[in-house]
Amino acid sequence: MPTLSSQGNDSNAPIIPFHVVDAPSQRLYISAFYVGLTVWRLYDYSRLVSDQTDSLWLFMKWVAIDGLFLYGLPGLRVPWLEWSSSTMTMLFLLHALLNGVLMFRIPIPLESWLIAFTKVMYDRELAVSERRVKPADILHNSSLILGKQIIHILPEGSAMLNPNQRPFCIGTSKTSVELPIRINQTTPILIELLRIDLESNTNETITVTNREIGKLKKQADREFGKNDITSARVLKFPVKRTGLYRLQRVVDQSKLEVQRRLSDTLVVKCPSASVKSVPQDKCRGELSDFYLQADATPPLKIKYSKTINREDLGFTFLSVHPDNLVSPLAQQRRSGALVTVQDTDVSWAGPKHVEVSLNETLGISGGWQYSIDEVHDACGNVANYSWPEEESHQGSSRGSHLEQIFTVHERPKVALDGCDSQRPLKVAQGRSRRLPLRLTSTGSREIGNSPHTISYTFIPQNKLSPSGEPGVGARTEIYTLQDTLHGPEIYEPGLYTLKSVSTGFCAGDVLEPASCLLLNPPEPDLTVRAENIPDKCAGSSIGLMVDLDLIGSPPFQVRYNIHRKGGRVTAKIEKVDRLRAQLELRPSEAGHYTYEFLDVSDSVYDSRSLKHKNLALEQDVKPPPSARFADISPKRKACIEEPVSFSVHLSGEAPWTLEYELVHGGTRQKQSVQDIESERYTVTTGKLVDGGDYTLALTSITDKSGCKAFLEQEAKIEVRRQRPKASFGQIEGKRNTKTLEGKKVDLPVRLTGEPPWTVTYHIQGEPESRSSAKTFRYTNDVLEVSTAGIYELVDVHDASCPGSVEDPANTFEVLWIHRPSLDVLESAMIERVGNKCIKKEICEGDEDAIEISLTGTPPYDIKYEQHWKPDRVPASLSEKKITAGLSRASIRMETSQAGLYEYKFLELGDSLYDHDRRNSSPLIVQQTVNSRPSASFTDSGKTYSYCKEDEAGDEVIPITLSGLAPFHLEIGIKHHATAKPEIVNVPYIETNQYNFHIPHRVLALGTHAVTIRKVRDARGCQRKTEFDGPHALVNVADIPSISPVEAKTDYCVGDRISYTFSGTPPFNVFYTFEGKERKATASSTNFRRIAEKPGNFTITALSDKASTDACKARTEITKTIHPMPSVRISKGRTAEIDIHEGGEAEILFEFGGTPPFEVTYTRSTNAQKGRMSQVLETKNEVSHQYTKTVSASDEGTYEVVAIKDRYCAFSMYGGQGGKGGSGAGQKMLTYR
């Protein structure tokens, strides 16, 4: 519930309350607004410069805007911005001055201001340690004064129940809770809690005794350090019953009641939830229709998740607020009372049983799962069922009572398959057949995990109306199908109509066709009539012509036996597709035959026996002679000059005489074969030497009785007119070709005959076993080859005949074009070692080249690698490419740097060939490039200085040489006053280090330049350095002098030490500091250093530009730098001490420096948010020791603002200084 507070009329309150926008944010917004005004002001100024706008108007405009802003700012009453009227007037005048400068374009010395600003921002000076330091860091060293002590006067003690407003609940897995009671600056001896029962609204007082409080306080003290006795403690009082708890009374050790803040805490029953289960099986399209049950303090929230076919669809929050519920928990409440003394009804806080209906369409078949994840009550207690049991806040775990699982089934569909009222089912009488059903579902597949139940009606055939519509007398049948293949068996003729279909879970739909008509057709029967077939030659019957009359449903199958006396019985089946047919029985052999008809069957009935009708026919048969070709369509294709054979089947009485003739080109060749005993005979012609069409005709046959029969059998023979041939064609008028190595070539092949052709070929010179065969399908085909050689055709065979190969067109030669090659031209400068060519050594920088010869088809593409292997630095590799148009090429060799060069020719290609990586080896050329010798002064550019007084001995300049000894040097020595140098030759130097002695006779007062003009080594390589070679300077000078600016010897850290020089700048100053010898350079006659550290600063020597270190001025000027005094309060930290009214606290000062010390410290108000501290008093203390203790009993913040010792002083506001230094206003402390 919101906390009510009274508020008086405060005239100093800000216009915008701090709970809306706090004070720092208000200052930030005002600053941002002021920055915006400044940007606008500068924008107007820029327009004034460019557009020549009226200056007076802009000046008046901005004076008005600044007046409104500045004089309106105090009215907002923002802390730190409530300036006095005099301050506001001063700011207004400054802004008016700025507006006048800008708008009337008064020139401003920006450049000088910028220089001054840069100096302030980047102020660096050289210190005595020869490093640049920022003087401000030394002069304003905040580490000299560290620490402060804050003293608080403790307020009265207080107590509060459940200060953090945590929710509490008691349930089956949590039988008790600990209520937190926060006590501050008090030790209670008695605590009374008021408890109101949530069910009966009765109240009781729970008293916590002093002994129990002591135990609770010991437990609370364990969370703090031993020295921490001022922090607030939280007593955790256990309770085991639900109810509304209120802190009613707290008594401390002084027998007085402790101030307490009114705050009610509810301990309710922990929330719980479950699912009110319903049957799990549902049909697709039905509603879920189940309930979520919750027991908790309302209003509450239920979080549940949904999963369909193992796919998580996320979670949903349900907010539940029972009807007619009035509860303060439905509002936002930070703290305070939930009930009043007059009204103690807390029934709204008791647990309520709530049921929430979930009703949604189950539109997808499969597994559905609803799971309760969390339950939130109105107090903030949460029962989380989605976490593991060991992690759950309330110890809750998910079980089956928290889940509702549905199995959503597809609905079945049924229709008849292959039967309707127009296409009836025909079934034999007394037989049954399964009703042809087609079962599907509302899904994409059949329902196979549940039996189907169908219902159908049946109307007998005799009760159907003439129009086929159902009449009266229909009966309904119900049948359960275990699978989709076995429907109900039906046998009665009539109309069957599907009415419904269902599975074990869902009812389905009946689709069309839904009606089927079942009929019983009549059984099949057979009647036969027979007539003899006479023969004129034999004078007897040669067979029977039988008429078949059938009854039933076509097609029919008539089975009969043929029995020849003395022979075996042959079974025959005659298929008849109509009700009448004629059967011709004509045996091929003579004898007594009996024909017996056994049974007949049709499309409905199986075979019905005819034995009871005794349908048998008998006959004596003597067939005439006959002959026919065994093949149904006798036809042959033959090769020229080859015979052809045909098989002939003979019938009648053996032996036979067969006559036939061969017809070709208008001629007939008659043949006769006698005494043939076998029923199979092969007729073979002679060699057919002419191409074309032949006819082999069987003309007559005569049997044993002399009966001769004329025949009409013919066979066709197609004889090829020529044999197939094969030969190579020509490419560009010849049978040879040149091609690239490894490239496939198509050799033309010419073929005659019938495709396909099989041609055998080989490469001359190879064994015959390596011959190859290839099949061709076109008369003008190609043979693809990829190997060089002479290809020879050996044999050819087409689709039916062997052939021949034409000579000399049976060979074809394939040649390869040679690949390009590369080699180095022989020369006296080149030596071959294996596959390497070693070229004569050369000096660095000399020009050289290598000549290479090339064979192939230009232009040539050459790729090579240049390896450089120097002596000391890492090797390098570069890849280069060149193109040569002729058979010779010149490649420039690299000589710009010394080392071993290796040229590796990796790839070579010409206009026809790319590089062949498999069959190539690199050509390597090596050459050593010797470096040119060099000579340099060991200390290049160094100036060798000598004193004018020192005239004894020669001067030495060390020189370093590189190359192969011995060396020859040419050195030039030139005085600055002369134009021509003196040349000195130094021959035969055997080492790489040489000390060059300058004859002292050539040195005069002034500067001399010594240069190395030329150097040559043993290899003959030389380097000239006449103009830009190494040089050294030799200077002969007098001794400089030094004197201090100030006579004092004691300085403080931060003071500046100054000297003046006489001589020729720049100067080298040699001094010692911190026991180390140091060297400084001064570019003018003034020398100044800031003292950054304490110690002794002693200048020992001085040299100038014209002198040398050997003849520098010797001196001994010492200055003592004293450290700055320092002071620490509370060990240098910020310490807070709480004392009671009338108590005292000790303030410890610890000093650093040289005694005696004088310290100045202040007491100011303790800092508060939004207000600045104010100094209340300032005090001084003097100490002759390094520590001092001061007692304080007033509240405030104690800080040191200044410290002074014997030599130096430091102030937080005025920097630091010492006697005679920047702190000259400070006096040196002395003992008295």
Side-chain angles (χ1 to χ4, degrees):
M1 294 180 64
T3 302
L4 299 176
S5 61
S6 61
Q7 192 172 20
N9 295 327
D10 190 355
S11 60
N12 294 324
I15 296 299
I16 302 176
F18 290 153
H19 69 271
V20 177
V21 180
D22 57 12
S25 298
Q26 292 188 31
R27 289 192 290 271
L28 176 63
Y29 298 152
I30 292 172
S31 301
F33 181 74
Y34 181 75
V35 171
L37 289 178
T38 304
V39 173
W40 186 15
R41 190 194 321 269
L42 294 177
Y43 172 72
D44 283 350
Y45 171 71
S46 65
R47 290 180 56 201
L48 175 67
V49 173
S50 60
D51 298 340
Q52 299 296 325
T53 312
D54 189 1
S55 300
L56 180 60
W57 155 245
L58 290 178
F59 171 74
M60 296 175 62
K61 165 187 169 182
W62 280 107
V63 167
I65 292 175
D66 290 337
L68 291 174
F69 175 76
L70 293 175
Y71 286 104
L73 185 60
L76 297 176
R77 295 193 286 275
V78 179
W80 297 2
L81 298 180
E82 298 180 80
W83 299 319
S84 63
S85 58
S86 58
T87 303
M88 286 297 176
T89 302
M90 180 62 66
L91 291 175
F92 174 73
L93 293 177
L94 290 175
H95 280 73
L97 177 62
L98 176 62
N99 292 331
V101 170
L102 291 177
M103 302 310 164
F104 292 106
R105 291 175 291 175
I106 299 175
I108 303 175
L110 293 178
E111 182 176 357
S112 59
W113 292 358
L114 182 61
I115 294 173
F117 177 76
T118 304
K119 186 174 181 181
V120 171
M121 295 302 295
Y122 187 77
D123 186 13
R124 297 290 188 273
E125 291 186 24
L126 279 172
V128 293
S129 59
E130 287 307 311
R131 68 185 185 94
R132 290 196 171 272
V133 296
K134 191 174 183 180
D137 294 340
I138 301 174
L139 297 175
H140 305 285
N141 187 1
S142 61
S143 64
L144 296 176
I145 299 178
L146 296 175
K148 61 181 177 180
Q149 187 158 313
I150 302 173
I151 298 177
H152 294 283
I153 302 299
L154 291 178
E156 294 184 2
S158 62
M160 184 178 181
L161 176 64
N162 193 14
N164 297 326
Q165 293 298 306
R166 291 176 49 203
F168 297 97
C169 70
I170 295 175
T172 56
S173 60
K174 190 176 183 181
T175 58
S176 66
V177 295
E178 293 180 340
L179 296 181
I181 304 174
R182 186 180 66 192
I183 58 174
N184 187 24
Q185 303 297 330
T186 184
T187 301
I189 61 174
L190 177 67
I191 299 176
E192 291 183 355
L193 293 173
L194 175 65
R195 173 184 171 272
I196 302 177
D197 191 84
L198 301 181
E199 297 180 359
S200 62
N201 290 330
T202 59
N203 57 55
E204 62 172 331
T205 300
I206 301 173
T207 302
V208 186
T209 64
N210 189 21
R211 183 177 180 183
E212 294 174 330
I213 293 173
K215 294 180 181 179
L216 298 177
K217 193 170 184 302
K218 285 182 180 179
Q219 296 176 358
D221 289 340
R222 294 173 185 171
E223 301 179 2
F224 301 88
K226 294 182 179 180
N227 298 327
D228 188 358
I229 60 175
T230 59
S231 299
R233 300 295 195 267
V234 177
L235 309 181
K236 298 179 180 179
F237 180 67
V239 296
K240 297 183 178 180
R241 292 182 294 173
T242 61
L244 184 145
Y245 289 84
R246 176 181 293 176
L247 192 61
Q248 183 169 276
R249 184 165 174 254
V250 180
V251 180
D252 64 3
Q253 292 177 337
S254 61
K255 307 297 183 179
L256 298 176
E257 288 194 14
V258 177
Q259 181 182 1
R260 66 190 186 281
R261 183 176 177 183
L262 187 60
S263 178
D264 292 343
T265 299
L266 280 173
V267 179
V268 299
K269 182 180 178 181
C270 290
S272 62
S274 63
V275 174
K276 189 174 182 180
S277 298
V278 296
Q280 294 186 1
D281 292 305
K282 294 280 187 178
C283 295
R284 182 174 177 178
E286 291 185 351
L287 300 177
S288 55
D289 194 18
F290 73 100
Y291 291 89
L292 302 180
Q293 302 178 124
D295 292 283
T297 300
L300 54 92
K301 293 181 180 179
I302 302 176
K303 175 186 175 183
Y304 71 93
S305 57
K306 180 169 64 175
T307 303
I308 301 178
N309 293 327
R310 299 185 179 180
E311 180 183 356
D312 189 3
L313 300 183
F315 59 86
T316 303
F317 271 104
L318 290 178
S319 296
V320 182
H321 192 292
D323 296 337
N324 302 322
L325 173 68
V326 179
S327 171
L329 298 178
Q331 305 173 3
Q332 291 289 338
R333 183 182 74 94
R334 294 295 180 183
S335 61
L338 294 174
V339 296
T340 61
V341 178
Q342 295 79 12
D343 183 9
T344 58
D345 182 12
V346 292
S347 58
W348 44 265
K352 300 294 188 295
H353 180 77
V354 179
E355 291 188 357
V356 182
S357 174
L358 286 184
N359 216 13
E360 62 178 338
T361 302
L362 306 176
I364 301 175
S365 61
W368 289 56
Q369 178 177 327
Y370 294 86
S371 303
I372 297 178
D373 296 332
E374 296 176 2
V375 181
H376 302 244
D377 66 5
C379 300
N381 298 294
V382 180
N384 194 324
Y385 300 105
S386 61
W387 291 348
E389 184 172 356
E390 60 272 11
E391 299 180 5
S392 177
H393 288 176
Q394 307 297 345
S396 304
S397 61
R398 182 176 293 178
S400 59
H401 66 288
L402 297 170
E403 296 177 347
Q404 175 63 56
I405 298 175
F406 290 117
T407 301
V408 180
H409 304 275
E410 297 286 355
R411 295 181 182 273
K413 295 181 180 180
V414 66
L416 292 173
D417 187 15
C419 178
D420 52 30
S421 58
Q422 303 301 322
R423 294 178 296 169
L425 287 179
K426 295 181 179 180
V427 180
Q429 293 182 2
R431 296 288 184 89
S432 64
R433 186 172 177 179
R434 294 191 179 275
L435 190 64
L437 301 176
R438 183 175 72 252
L439 293 171
T440 56
S441 70
T442 54
S444 59
R445 295 181 296 179
E446 296 182 357
I447 303 174
N449 58 353
S450 176
H452 291 63
T453 300
I454 63 170
S455 66
Y456 62 92
T457 59
F458 168 69
I459 301 175
Q461 184 178 2
N462 55 7
K463 294 184 179 180
L464 289 173
S465 64
S467 62
E469 294 297 327
V472 295
R475 72 172 185 266
T476 302
E477 301 285 345
I478 298 176
Y479 184 81
T480 299
L481 289 79
Q482 298 301 325
D483 54 59
T484 59
L485 299 177
H486 298 84
E489 291 190 357
I490 54 177
Y491 56 90
E492 294 183 67
L495 183 65
Y496 294 83
T497 303
L498 295 175
K499 292 299 182 181
S500 65
V501 61
S502 63
T503 62
F505 308 103
C506 304
D509 300 325
V510 177
L511 306 179
E512 291 294 335
S515 297
C516 179
L517 183 62
L518 178 66
L519 301 177
N520 291 141
E523 295 184 358
D525 196 6
L526 174 65
T527 303
V528 298
R529 296 190 306 273
E531 291 182 1
N532 290 327
I533 302 174
D535 182 67
K536 297 178 180 180
C537 177
S540 61
S541 175
I542 61 173
L544 291 175
M545 184 66 69
V546 181
D547 294 330
L548 303 178
D549 295 326
L550 296 156
I551 297 174
S553 301
F556 302 93
Q557 285 189 358
V558 179
R559 191 166 65 90
Y560 61 95
N561 288 340
I562 301 175
H563 182 218
R564 180 171 174 260
K565 188 176 182 179
R568 59 187 180 85
V569 178
T570 302
K572 295 287 186 178
I573 295 178
E574 182 70 17
K575 294 182 179 180
V576 182
D577 56 359
R578 52 189 181 275
L579 297 178
R580 291 180 59 82
Q582 196 172 51
L583 177 63
E584 182 178 353
L585 301 175
R586 185 179 294 190
S588 60
E589 297 181 2
H592 181 76
Y593 286 86
T594 300
Y595 305 96
E596 182 181 6
F597 292 90
L598 302 177
D599 54 52
V600 62
S601 63
D602 61 4
S603 60
V604 177
Y605 292 90
D606 294 337
S607 59
R608 291 293 186 263
S609 177
L610 301 173
K611 291 183 178 181
H612 64 284
K613 300 183 70 172
N614 194 21
L615 298 178
L617 302 174
E618 293 185 5
Q619 183 186 31
D620 290 325
V621 176
K622 186 178 181 181
S626 176
R628 60 181 175 83
F629 289 107
D631 296 336
I632 298 176
S633 300
K635 187 175 182 180
R636 293 284 191 276
K637 287 186 177 181
C639 299
I640 196 168
E641 297 181 351
E642 289 185 357
V644 180
S645 298
F646 290 91
S647 178
V648 179
H649 178 70
L650 307 175
S651 61
E653 290 184 286
W656 294 277
T657 298
L658 178 63
E659 294 178 352
Y660 62 91
E661 60 184 11
L662 184 64
V663 181
H664 171 65
T667 62
R668 295 176 180 269
Q669 297 179 7
K670 295 185 178 182
Q671 300 287 338
S672 177
V673 183
Q674 299 179 354
D675 299 327
I676 301 174
E677 297 290 341
S678 175
E679 294 181 352
R680 289 276 183 176
Y681 180 73
T682 301
V683 176
T684 303
T685 67
K687 289 185 178 182
L688 306 178
V689 296
D690 296 327
D693 295 331
Y694 289 79
T695 301
L696 179 64
L698 302 180
T699 57
S700 65
I701 186 171
T702 305
D703 63 0
K704 179 180 180 181
S705 62
C707 181
K708 186 176 183 180
F710 293 95
L711 304 176
E712 296 179 353
Q713 290 282 319
E714 289 184 352
K716 299 294 184 179
I717 303 173
E718 184 180 346
V719 179
R720 301 272 294 278
R721 298 187 182 276
Q722 61 178 5
R723 291 182 177 275
K725 294 180 180 180
S727 63
F728 280 116
Q730 294 181 343
I731 298 178
E732 297 180 354
K734 52 186 178 180
R735 290 188 178 89
N736 58 67
T737 184
K738 282 189 175 183
T739 185
L740 299 180
E741 181 180 343
K743 183 178 180 181
K744 294 181 179 180
V745 182
D746 292 336
L747 303 183
V749 179
R750 303 294 179 255
L751 301 165
T752 60
E754 294 183 358
W757 295 268
T758 301
V759 178
T760 304
Y761 66 95
H762 74 283
I763 301 176
Q764 290 185 0
E766 294 185 355
E768 294 184 359
S769 59
R770 297 188 62 181
S771 298
S772 302
K774 183 178 180 182
T775 300
F776 298 92
R777 299 189 178 277
Y778 306 102
T779 56
N780 296 296
D781 217 323
V782 292
L783 174 63
E784 187 180 82
V785 299
S786 59
T787 306
I790 299 175
Y791 289 83
E792 181 180 3
L793 300 180
V794 178
D795 189 21
V796 63
H797 197 289
D798 69 354
S800 56
C801 300
S804 61
V805 178
E806 294 183 356
D807 190 21
N810 62 334
T811 59
F812 202 107
E813 184 177 9
V814 177
L815 301 174
W816 278 350
I817 300 174
H818 294 293
R819 286 186 171 273
S821 63
L822 178 147
D823 200 2
V824 178
L825 291 177
E826 297 292 339
S827 171
M829 306 292 290
I830 296 177
E831 177 186 358
R832 289 187 178 269
V833 180
N835 66 335
K836 292 184 180 180
C837 296
I838 310 298
K839 198 161 176 30
K840 187 178 179 180
E841 297 181 0
I842 195 171
C843 292
E844 179 182 359
D846 292 349
E847 292 293 330
D848 198 6
I850 184 173
E851 298 290 333
I852 59 174
S853 63
L854 301 162
T855 62
T857 305
Y860 305 94
D861 295 322
I862 305 170
K863 178 181 177 182
Y864 65 94
E865 290 180 349
Q866 177 181 299
H867 295 257
W868 176 46
K869 302 176 182 177
D871 295 334
R872 297 181 180 179
V873 298
S876 67
L877 171 65
S878 61
E879 187 179 274
K880 298 186 178 182
K881 296 180 180 180
I882 63 172
T883 301
L886 301 175
S887 59
R888 285 195 178 187
S890 177
I891 298 178
R892 180 182 175 276
M893 306 191 78
E894 183 65 41
T895 60
S896 60
Q897 292 178 295
L900 176 63
Y901 286 87
E902 182 178 275
Y903 303 85
K904 184 183 290 185
F905 293 89
L906 301 175
E907 296 183 6
L908 173 64
D910 60 3
S911 61
L912 297 179
Y913 285 99
D914 292 330
H915 176 67
D916 185 6
R917 297 180 181 273
R918 296 173 298 177
N919 301 319
S920 64
S921 59
L923 174 65
I924 299 175
V925 178
Q926 288 184 346
Q927 184 182 42
T928 301
V929 177
N930 296 318
S931 61
R932 293 184 182 275
S934 65
S936 62
F937 294 106
T938 304
D939 299 322
S940 180
K942 178 180 178 182
T943 300
Y944 296 86
S945 300
Y946 302 99
C947 296
K948 184 177 180 181
E949 293 79 4
D950 190 4
E951 297 181 354
D954 295 339
E955 307 305 334
V956 176
I957 299 178
I959 298 176
T960 302
L961 300 104
S962 65
L964 183 64
F967 301 93
H968 179 276
L969 277 178
E970 181 180 300
I971 299 175
I973 303 173
K974 179 181 178 296
H975 190 270
H976 69 91
T978 62
K980 184 177 181 181
E982 182 178 348
I983 306 301
V984 178
N985 287 302
V986 183
Y988 206 76
I989 301 174
E990 296 183 347
T991 63
N992 293 86
Q993 296 292 331
Y994 176 69
N995 291 327
F996 176 59
H997 295 266
I998 304 176
H1000 197 273
R1001 56 183 174 77
V1002 300
L1003 296 177
L1005 187 63
T1007 303
H1008 301 74
V1010 181
T1011 59
I1012 299 174
R1013 298 166 60 89
K1014 185 189 301 183
V1015 60
R1016 185 173 65 249
D1017 67 353
R1019 298 190 184 99
C1021 299
Q1022 88 174 10
R1023 185 188 300 272
K1024 291 183 178 181
T1025 56
E1026 183 175 354
F1027 300 104
D1028 57 349
H1031 67 278
L1033 298 178
V1034 178
N1035 185 32
V1036 180
D1038 289 332
I1039 298 176
S1041 63
I1042 181 174
S1043 61
V1045 175
E1046 298 175 316
K1048 68 176 184 177
T1049 58
D1050 293 313
Y1051 288 84
C1052 295
V1053 172
D1055 290 347
R1056 292 168 177 82
I1057 306 174
S1058 302
Y1059 300 89
T1060 59
F1061 303 140
S1062 64
T1064 304
F1067 299 90
N1068 291 327
V1069 183
F1070 300 88
Y1071 65 93
T1072 59
F1073 182 69
E1074 294 182 328
K1076 297 180 181 180
E1077 293 184 357
R1078 304 174 186 266
K1079 179 182 178 182
T1081 302
S1083 60
S1084 65
T1085 57
N1086 293 322
F1087 178 75
R1088 187 175 76 167
R1089 292 292 184 269
I1090 188 170
E1092 64 164 331
K1093 298 179 181 178
N1096 292 326
F1097 180 77
T1098 303
I1099 295 181
T1100 58
L1102 175 69
S1103 65
D1104 64 356
K1105 179 179 180 181
S1107 64
T1108 63
D1109 291 344
C1111 59
K1112 55 191 174 185
R1114 304 291 176 178
T1115 185
E1116 189 75 23
I1117 302 175
T1118 302
K1119 304 291 184 181
T1120 301
I1121 303 172
H1122 298 281
M1124 294 300 298
S1126 63
V1127 61
R1128 294 192 303 169
I1129 296 180
S1130 303
K1131 302 295 182 181
R1133 300 186 299 269
T1134 299
E1136 296 189 15
I1137 299 177
D1138 298 328
I1139 63 174
H1140 291 281
E1141 192 74 33
E1144 285 188 350
E1146 291 184 346
I1147 303 175
L1148 175 63
F1149 296 91
E1150 297 175 297
F1151 303 105
T1154 306
F1157 302 97
E1158 182 178 345
V1159 61
T1160 303
Y1161 66 94
T1162 63
R1163 179 175 72 88
S1164 58
T1165 58
N1166 292 334
Q1168 296 182 3
K1169 185 177 181 182
R1171 295 187 179 181
M1172 297 181 61
S1173 297
Q1174 297 180 358
V1175 178
L1176 302 177
E1177 60 178 331
T1178 303
K1179 294 183 178 182
N1180 292 324
E1181 297 288 344
V1182 177
S1183 175
H1184 298 278
Q1185 306 297 326
Y1186 285 95
T1187 60
K1188 185 176 181 65
T1189 301
V1190 177
S1191 298
S1193 60
D1194 296 326
E1195 184 179 52
T1197 300
Y1198 292 81
E1199 297 177 278
V1200 175
V1201 295
I1203 179 68
K1204 184 193 304 181
D1205 69 352
R1206 177 181 293 274
Y1207 300 104
C1208 306
F1210 176 77
S1211 173
M1212 292 292 289
Y1213 306 108
Q1216 62 191 35
K1219 183 177 68 176
S1222 60
Q1226 302 286 346
K1227 294 183 179 179
M1228 183 183 297
L1229 295 178
T1230 58
Y1231 290 100
R1232 294 189 179 183

